[in-house]
Amino acid sequence: MQLADRGAVSRFGTPLVVAVVAVLVGIGLTVGLNGYFAYLGVSVVVAAIALLGLGVVTGSAGMISLCQLTFGAIGAWVVSALNKAGAPGGFFFWLLLGGLAAGVVGVLIGLPALRLRGINLAVVTLGLAAAADVTLVEIQFPGTTDGVSVDRPSFVADDNAYFLMCIVVLIVCALIVHFLRRGPWGSSWAAVAFSERGTAAAGASVRTAKLSAFAVSATLGGISGGLLTAQVGFAFPTSFAPLQSLALYVLAIMSGAHLIDMAVFGAVLWVAVPELLKRWGVPQDWGYVIFGLLGIQALAGRGNLGTAIRELWRRRSRASAGIQITALDEEPPRLPPGEPVLVVRGLSVTFGQVKALSGVDLAVPKGGVLGVIGPNGAGKSTLVDAISGFLPQAEGTVELADRPLTGNPTQRARSGLRRTFQQDRVPAGLTIEAYVRFVARRRPDAAEVAAALEFFGCPPAATPLDRVDVGARRLVEVVGHLMAKPQVLLLDEPAAGLPHEEHVAFGERLRQVPARFGVSVLIIEHDLDLVRSVCDTLTVLDFGEVLASGPQAEVLADPAVLKAYLGETEML
């Protein structure tokens, strides 16, 4: 069996096997349960689905949502209204419609997340929950005042059968979330949680990533609300109070609800803690205190129970994966630089009264490597930000393959211009392979990915990025963008984090990029040994202006360049 086939079996077979086992466990749990414990079991499952959705938006996408039970209220409202109206389709159809309705509202609630972050987004979502609570208390759910209860389908009329049905719904939801996380949406959620700039530079839509996370989370919340309504026959505003949404968020953070098993564990705590307090004669409001203390610990420690358990599990075998770049036995011939593929004319950027760039002109030759050097504060990173679209106020023109390059960073990346960053923008929540495929925005075969990773001395594709050191992550970032096959790749200090002895070996690889991958390169780098070994031509910036530009030897011998570098004269 080929490696790709084995990967497909593991990707699809293992989750399905786990799902079948979970169903069998659910059947076993229903045997001998009395009505009350079956009722508690349904409560656990309903909470697990809500936590699973919350784990998507908070754990995977890194956004704060304090209105998860409001989405549950929307699902409950739809089920109650359709039941009262005697709508066709039956309970399961109503349940699906309730989830979809909540998903639509989730997209609308996600719109502020496009501009708001952190505490501001928390205030907006909590305000929504409070407004919904006041409205529900005033008008009540359909059928409540008329005594029209939501009846379960006949084959799940008793609590044990309904419990098993809810387990099946949870398993289906968990499978959907699992496969979404392993796909492009899941990668975009992890990327946007770690770095919105890095996500945009990869050609992925930050807007789509955020809205899809809210939509999936809200849909699951709506389904949980519909199930809760059929559990008791009626929906009540107290089941969806803002304080409970807040407590659910804290529980999601504490347990690590982005992990499916920990979402279930968190749901067990959600039901077990109040139940134990009741049996011990302690007021159940103390449950909120307990969840609050656990949440404070999780937030202060920047961790959660799920990741801590997994860390302990693999600590013995865990070793940080690093770089293993070896010298090339024989370097293939380099392509002669051709006509300019990226042309920048009159690029200027002003911050208030400060001119960061002033009339910068440069050209990246097709099949060549252009180096941009200069003292600290010369405007090099500003130049890359402006070319890649992160500074919309920039003046001047940028042309890629004789076509004007305009639009936001995502549009420019999709047009064939990619870039890396000085800071680490590689999310630790993915494997190397998942990250490379996400950045590539295509599905290169396993052999192509493995060959590119091996070429740059990166760890194997299956390695989780949280086991990879910073220097190796920088190289993985380069590989991901090269797999996208852009026309030009902008590298902002790609050797940062690499040991000095690895710089030369990295330079050997970088020198071959145009011939091997068909990508022209613009590189910003302080290591002049690397610059000498890689760059055909150089452009020197000083105080935002071009000081010198041309063939490497001429530029490095220019007295003005030597003067600009001052203390770096001896290095030159």
Side-chain angles (χ1 to χ4, degrees):
M1 182 181 290
Q2 296 181 351
L3 289 176
D5 297 333
R6 293 177 184 174
V9 171
S10 176
R11 189 183 305 112
F12 296 102
T14 302
L16 295 178
V17 170
V18 172
V20 171
V21 172
V23 171
L24 296 176
V25 171
I27 295 174
L29 290 175
T30 59
V31 176
L33 282 182
N34 60 36
Y36 181 68
F37 283 101
Y39 176 88
L40 292 180
V42 171
S43 299
V44 169
V45 173
V46 168
I49 295 174
L51 279 170
L52 194 62
L54 195 54
V56 169
V57 74
T58 60
S60 297
M63 295 179 288
I64 298 177
S65 176
L66 303 182
C67 60
Q68 183 67 0
L69 293 184
T70 302
F71 300 134
I74 294 171
W77 180 278
V78 170
V79 170
S80 299
L82 293 176
N83 175 76
K84 181 180 178 181
F91 173 73
F92 292 104
F93 182 63
W94 303 342
L95 183 67
L96 179 60
L97 289 181
L100 294 177
V104 172
V105 176
V107 171
L108 297 177
I109 300 307
L111 291 175
L114 301 179
R115 296 187 177 273
L116 300 177
R117 298 174 183 83
I119 189 63
N120 294 324
L121 181 59
V123 170
V124 169
T125 54
L126 186 60
L128 169 71
D133 182 60
V134 171
T135 303
L136 291 174
V137 170
E138 183 67 25
I139 65 176
Q140 295 298 315
F141 284 90
T144 303
T145 56
D146 302 327
V148 180
S149 64
V150 176
D151 295 327
R152 306 170 190 167
S154 58
F155 65 93
V156 290
D158 67 275
D159 288 340
N160 285 33
Y162 189 68
F163 174 42
L164 181 58
M165 185 214 76
C166 289
I167 289 178
V168 173
V169 174
L170 170 60
I171 292 170
V172 172
C173 292
L175 284 173
I176 292 173
V177 170
H178 172 78
F179 288 118
L180 284 177
R181 282 182 177 146
R182 294 181 69 94
W185 273 12
S187 297
S188 70
W189 297 339
V192 81
F194 191 76
S195 171
E196 292 185 18
R197 286 168 62 88
T199 304
S205 171
V206 174
R207 179 187 184 90
T208 300
K210 289 187 172 184
L211 293 182
S212 63
F214 262 101
V216 172
S217 175
T219 299
L220 292 174
I223 290 174
S224 70
L227 291 175
L228 179 62
T229 302
Q231 178 189 16
V232 297
F234 296 96
F236 300 101
T238 53
S239 301
F240 311 101
L243 186 59
Q244 293 206 60
S245 282
L246 181 59
L248 197 69
Y249 169 79
V250 170
L251 188 60
I253 295 297
M254 182 273 295
S255 62
H258 62 289
L259 305 169
I260 293 175
D261 55 336
M262 297 312 296
V264 176
F265 175 73
V268 172
L269 291 181
W270 178 258
V271 174
V273 169
E275 182 67 19
L276 290 174
L277 291 177
K278 182 176 70 173
R279 289 177 178 270
W280 296 337
V282 179
Q284 294 191 32
D285 288 344
W286 280 98
Y288 294 120
V289 176
I290 295 173
F291 291 147
L293 292 175
L294 293 174
I296 290 173
Q297 187 278 330
L299 292 170
R302 296 184 179 275
N304 56 68
L305 187 59
T307 55
I309 292 174
R310 280 161 170 75
E311 182 70 19
L312 290 173
W313 179 262
R314 65 190 185 192
R315 179 171 292 177
R316 292 183 179 180
S317 59
R318 178 174 179 173
S320 179
I323 310 157
Q324 297 178 349
I325 308 180
T326 57
L328 292 171
D329 295 332
E330 181 179 352
E331 180 179 339
R334 299 171 64 178
L335 294 176
E339 294 297 317
V341 64
L342 178 70
V343 178
V344 177
R345 296 188 181 94
L347 195 61
S348 300
V349 176
T350 302
F351 299 108
Q353 301 299 316
V354 178
K355 278 197 170 184
L357 294 177
S358 182
V360 172
D361 296 335
L362 59 80
V364 178
K366 185 176 180 62
V369 181
L370 169 68
V372 177
I373 63 174
N376 289 330
K380 303 184 296 298
S381 292
T382 302
L383 173 68
V384 175
D385 282 346
I387 294 174
S388 56
F390 284 96
L391 296 174
Q393 74 272 29
E395 299 177 354
T397 62
V398 180
E399 293 182 357
L400 182 65
D402 297 323
R403 298 178 62 182
L405 190 64
T406 58
N408 58 40
T410 297
Q411 294 168 332
R412 298 191 186 200
R414 293 177 179 179
S415 297
L417 179 74
R418 291 298 187 96
R419 67 160 296 181
T420 65
F421 295 85
Q422 288 185 21
Q423 298 82 16
D424 182 17
R425 305 283 181 176
V426 180
L430 301 174
T431 63
I432 290 178
E433 180 182 20
Y435 173 77
V436 168
R437 292 184 185 277
F438 166 69
V439 174
R441 291 189 60 78
R442 63 185 185 93
R443 296 198 64 82
D445 59 50
E448 184 181 1
V449 173
L453 292 172
E454 183 180 4
F455 178 73
F456 280 96
C458 300
T463 306
L465 280 165
D466 60 1
R467 301 188 190 182
V468 177
D469 62 41
V470 175
R473 286 201 298 271
R474 301 300 301 274
L475 297 185
V476 170
E477 182 182 19
V478 172
V479 171
H481 287 290
L482 288 175
M483 287 290 96
K485 297 185 176 181
Q487 296 185 68
V488 177
L489 177 60
L490 312 180
L491 300 176
D492 195 352
E493 298 189 28
L498 297 181
H500 183 73
E501 59 271 15
E502 302 286 356
H503 283 203
V504 175
F506 173 62
E508 292 178 353
R509 266 56 177 186
L510 195 58
R511 194 163 56 236
Q512 296 182 45
V513 162
R516 184 182 180 95
F517 297 96
V519 179
S520 304
V521 178
L522 182 153
I523 179 173
I524 291 175
E525 183 55 61
H526 284 294
D527 187 327
L528 293 178
D529 289 334
L530 178 60
V531 169
R532 284 193 184 96
S533 66
V534 172
C535 300
D536 307 298
T537 56
L538 293 178
T539 293
V540 182
L541 293 183
D542 191 27
F543 294 105
E545 298 182 351
V546 176
L547 185 62
S549 185
Q552 179 194 131
E554 295 180 11
V555 170
L556 293 182
D558 190 322
V561 175
L562 298 177
K563 181 179 180 181
Y565 268 90
L566 294 176
E568 299 179 21
T569 302
E570 294 183 2
M571 295 175 60
L572 292 167

